[in-house]
Structures are given as structure tokens and as C-alpha cells.
Amino acid sequence: MFRRYRCDDCAGTSGLCFTDGSLLREARRHRILAHDGLIPDGERVIDVPIAKLVDVPRGQVIATAMLFLVLVVAVAVRG
């Protein structure tokens, strides 16, 4: 699961943090730059769920499958 650092006091949210270390560095950097090293009251971590195949809209799945099929046929005809 990916995470984001959020400071409600500043209304700022970090980009995606892929490791706990990067999340801690982001929090530390923000505290130093925006709050003189203090921990703001509105600080929190947001968990960003990973998208699953079932979350993709049906039309997008069908279009992708058709594009893949056209690509396979084009390669078969040329080869």
C-alpha cells in the first residue's frame, strides 16, 4: 500500500511515498521547512489503496483487449 503525508494545518499533501523511510523523510522535511521543526497538530498519514483489475471500468478493459488482439493479428500477418 502506498502512503501520503498530510498536514491539515497547511492544507498540504505529499506525493506518493513508496517506503516508510520516504514517508518519514517527507514528514521531517515538512516539519523543518514549514513548522520550524515542530510537529503540527494536523499531521497524519493517508493510506492510498492499490488499484485492482476489478476497479478498471468494463469499457476500458474491452478496449484494451481489442487493441491487444489487433496487435497480435498484425504481428501474425507480418510474420
Side-chain angles (χ1 to χ4, degrees):
M1 182 170 302
F2 303 124
R3 303 170 109 184
R4 292 179 186 262
Y5 170 80
R6 171 77 181 164
C7 179
D8 289 334
D9 291 353
C10 298
T13 305
S14 73
L16 288 177
C17 297
F18 301 106
T19 65
D20 289 341
S22 65
L23 182 67
L24 292 173
R25 282 189 299 276
E26 185 67 33
R28 188 178 312 124
R29 184 188 67 80
H30 176 77
R31 290 174 191 159
I32 291 169
L33 293 176
H35 302 285
D36 296 324
L38 301 174
I39 300 173
D41 290 337
E43 179 179 86
R44 61 190 168 111
V45 173
I46 301 170
D47 290 327
V48 179
I50 299 172
K52 299 177 182 157
L53 185 59
V54 295
D55 296 333
V56 178
R58 183 184 304 249
Q60 187 175 351
V61 171
I62 292 170
T64 302
M66 290 177 64
L67 183 61
F68 181 72
L69 182 62
V70 167
L71 182 64
V72 168
V73 169
V75 169
V77 167
R78 291 184 87 179

